[in-house]
Amino acid sequence: VKPLAAGTISNAASVIANEPDPDLTNNSSTETTTITSAADLKVTVTDNKTSIAAGAQNTYTVVVSNLGPSAATGATVTDTFPNTFINVTYTATQVGGATGFTASGSGNITDAVNMPSGSKITYTAKGKVTTSASGTLSNTTTVTKPANMPDPNIANNSATDSDAITL
């Protein structure tokens, strides 16, 4: 059974025999299970690079998914871009009925979203690495589950892309 919504499912079973039965009290059984809402939210972020030049343009692709089984109403998507990644603009699209995301914007991403099971939001963020940047360019995106909703795999609720900055 793969329930699609919270609630209760019950199953009753009974047995009848052609022979005399000395104990009729154990011929039936009922099992009741309460199904609670849960959604496995997942995020990935990549720019498909391992290094980037200071002063170069860059594009991140952020994908937020609800692997289900329940809808997630009021999840939060957050991407606070590093200070060395400037002039950021982004667009977002969805499949599967997700709502609440910002279709286009600038700066950091902070969206309260509603995601049916199986839905996906894809953000494309473009910006420039500052000319004075050095070391590593790291960008982390996080999806936070709604309050009181279990997420069976919180390890995939945050993702980071890191690139060595070259001159």
Side-chain angles (χ1 to χ4, degrees):
V1 175
K2 186 175 180 182
L4 299 176
T8 303
I9 57 172
S10 296
N11 184 40
S14 6
V15 63
I16 300 171
N18 289 335
E19 302 298 321
D21 188 343
D23 184 5
L24 296 175
T25 63
N26 66 359
N27 289 2
S28 65
S29 177
T30 301
E31 169 67 27
T32 301
T33 303
T34 300
I35 307 300
T36 58
S37 296
D40 183 7
L41 299 175
K42 177 183 178 183
V43 65
T44 61
V45 59
T46 186
D47 64 358
N48 294 311
K49 298 178 178 102
T50 56
S51 65
I52 189 162
Q57 297 290 325
N58 198 25
T59 302
Y60 286 107
T61 301
V62 175
V63 179
V64 182
S65 307
N66 179 359
L67 305 177
S70 300
T73 301
T76 305
V77 179
T78 307
D79 194 328
T80 304
F81 295 101
N83 292 336
T84 54
F85 189 58
I86 60 171
N87 303 324
V88 178
T89 60
Y90 61 89
T91 58
T93 58
Q94 67 82 30
V95 294
T99 61
F101 60 93
T102 304
S104 64
S106 60
N108 298 324
I109 299 169
T110 304
D111 284 341
V113 298
N114 303 316
M115 300 188 71
S117 179
S119 65
K120 184 185 301 185
I121 301 169
T122 302
Y123 294 89
T124 303
K126 297 178 180 183
K128 181 179 178 181
V129 180
T130 61
T131 56
S132 61
S134 63
T136 303
L137 178 68
S138 290
N139 182 42
T140 300
T141 307
T142 303
V143 60
T144 305
K145 67 180 185 65
N148 301 321
M149 174 174 268
D151 184 333
N153 183 10
I154 60 170
N156 63 5
N157 291 13
S158 184
T160 301
D161 181 274
S162 295
D163 302 322
I165 297 174
T166 60
L167 299 175

